[in-house]
Amino acid sequence: MKLETIRWSGELDGHLVLIDQTLLPGETKELACRDVDTVFEAIRALRVRGAPAIGIAAAYGVCVGLQPFVHDRQHEFFDRAVEIVEYLATSRPTAVNLFWALARMQAKAQALQLARKSPSLALAALLAEARAIHEEDRLMCHAIGRYGAELLSNNSGVLTHCNAGGLATSEYGTALSVFFTAQDQGKQLHVFVDETRPLLQGARLTAWELAQRKIPATLICDSMAGQVMREGRVQAVVVGADRIAANGDTANKIGTYSVAVLAHAHGIPFYVAAPTNTFDLALASGDEIPIEERSAAEITHGFGKQTAPDGIHVYNPAFDVTPARYIQAIITERGVIAPVDRDTIAKLFAQQ
Ligand code: MRU
């Protein structure tokens, strides 16, 4: 059976199914989400993670959350829709794709309410909207891969941080889509994978995806990236994004900023691969991006083992912001933005 990161099982009375990414790579197990609390917990606990994937999961989460109210009166059903959207929006703060997907579901619900649709017709239309968000993401990832692969040379070393692959999206990924597409085109790459402390998305998830596709890869600790670059092993860096401000400043997994500065110091191009729904043009710069802070236990008791003394003060921001000046280009499904600044970003969005 082909495992999918996210899928909807059944019809209108069906449910959301996710690969529980906290168990990878040791165990490949699916999690059935039959109520909105399970979807909320799955997002918060990173059972489903990666900016596009949490947006897609939340869109289906709205449908799961509305199922118990399908026999309620019309206005009650639509009131519940607003509450469920607001609830899911509190699951994680940084990836804007979550809020983008929920806003789209909310807008659809409003239109259905205005059109006086019955709860069961509205639920069917909302499920169709979630499926559309899911399918559009799949197509966007492939387009990102096609644009990005052109930027990579045959026989080059590339480095990535965190996981921006199929597990973080509907299928092919963003940063990893660039590598997968280059491979499909016959290019030979060697991927250096930052393990990505503290939750090891690189080691657990990216290394797993690359192994499945038989792409040569070497796992390194985050602190080794500078040495690997200095040894001349890396010709390009490609990472994903959780939120991109109007000036191109980019939030991504903690540690990305350090990699960008290192790439700059070594004259290595640093690329961000992200769909246009990862941009938040309402924010003038990266200073305004909310950065999620996660529990101290992720650092002091990573994967169940105590690795720091009791009572030590911990700071655990889950994301950082890379200033636009370190980004050579942003690879989107609509094309490549380079140089990266307010004007070039506005120009891409002005094109229909
Ligand atoms: O905390 P996570 O695992 O959700 O963080 C994920 C990342 O930072 C990814 O690089 C980003 O979401 C891009 S996914 C295509």
Side-chain angles (χ1 to χ4, degrees):
M1 188 185 77
K2 184 177 171 272
L3 277 173
E4 290 173 80
T5 303
I6 302 171
R7 65 186 172 89
W8 182 263
S9 170
E11 299 304 321
L12 204 51
D13 57 352
H15 60 277
L16 173 64
V17 183
L18 307 167
I19 295 181
D20 184 345
Q21 299 188 31
T22 61
L23 304 176
L24 287 171
E27 207 181 332
T28 311
K29 201 172 156 192
E30 288 189 324
L31 170 73
C33 302
R34 296 173 196 277
D35 56 65
V36 69
D37 289 331
T38 307
V39 179
F40 183 97
E41 194 277 339
I43 294 173
R44 177 158 280 186
L46 274 60
R47 299 184 198 286
V48 59
R49 31 68 49 209
I54 63 176
I56 298 164
Y60 284 122
V62 172
C63 304
V64 165
L66 280 170
Q67 282 170 337
F69 307 106
V70 76
H71 300 298
D72 284 14
R73 281 192 295 234
Q74 230 176 25
H75 73 274
E76 282 165 356
F77 176 86
F78 288 110
D79 286 354
R80 292 294 88 76
V82 174
E83 286 168 16
I84 290 164
V85 163
E86 285 173 357
Y87 171 55
L88 287 170
T90 60
S91 55
R92 289 191 79 186
T94 302
V96 78
N97 309 60
L98 174 70
F99 309 103
W100 173 87
L102 287 171
R104 186 161 151 181
M105 294 299 283
Q106 174 68 55
K108 184 76 190 174
Q110 264 166 5
L112 292 160
Q113 186 170 19
L114 273 176
R116 298 183 183 283
K117 295 291 179 199
S118 69
S120 62
L121 280 178
L123 184 57
L126 287 166
L127 180 59
E129 191 71 2
R131 287 189 199 273
I133 290 171
H134 194 173
E135 175 61 12
E136 286 165 26
D137 182 72
R138 205 179 67 76
L139 298 175
M140 287 191 295
C141 287
H142 281 283
I144 288 169
R146 284 193 296 275
Y147 282 116
E150 287 174 28
L151 303 171
L152 302 183
S153 319
N154 192 20
N155 293 320
S156 56
V158 292
L159 185 142
T160 192
H161 190 78
C162 194
N163 173 266
L167 289 166
T169 62
S170 56
E171 184 201 357
Y172 230 49
T174 54
L176 292 197
S177 175
V178 173
F179 304 156
F180 297 156
T181 309
Q183 186 200 37
D184 294 344
Q185 294 172 352
K187 286 182 185 162
Q188 302 294 320
L189 300 177
H190 191 100
V191 184
F192 288 89
V193 182
D194 280 355
E195 70 175 351
T196 316
R197 281 275 292 153
L199 295 182
L200 307 186
Q201 287 93 333
R204 295 187 303 105
L205 310 177
T206 299
W208 183 79
E209 285 197 44
L210 293 168
Q212 291 213 326
R213 288 186 185 262
K214 300 192 176 19
I215 296 187
T218 299
L219 178 64
I220 57 171
C221 300
D222 302 347
S223 52
M224 297 169 188
Q227 179 64 15
V228 171
M229 289 181 188
R230 192 162 177 268
E231 290 169 2
R233 297 172 192 258
V234 177
Q235 281 67 54
V237 175
V238 189
V239 297
D242 289 87
R243 196 184 295 224
I244 305 173
N247 70 345
D249 291 352
T250 295
N252 191 48
K253 178 52 55 193
I254 191 74
T256 303
Y257 173 36
S258 314
V259 175
V261 173
L262 283 170
H264 183 76
H266 290 88
I268 297 167
F270 178 93
Y271 300 113
V272 170
T276 47
N277 59 23
T278 302
F279 286 76
D280 186 350
L281 300 181
L283 305 187
S285 82
D287 296 345
E288 296 170 46
I289 299 176
I291 300 293
E292 177 180 11
E293 218 181 303
R294 294 186 65 87
S295 83
E298 289 183 353
I299 295 179
T300 58
H301 294 72
F303 302 95
K305 184 170 166 56
Q306 182 165 359
T307 54
D310 288 334
I312 186 73
H313 184 75
V314 169
Y315 178 47
N316 184 16
F319 299 93
D320 59 27
V321 175
T322 298
R325 66 178 177 282
Y326 293 124
I327 304 171
Q328 177 97 8
I330 302 179
I331 307 156
T332 78
E333 80 283 7
R334 297 201 207 164
V336 175
I337 301 172
V340 178
D341 60 39
R342 193 176 308 282
D343 295 339
T344 52
I345 291 172
K347 202 169 149 204
L348 183 101
F349 277 86
Q351 290 162 8
Q352 283 313 309

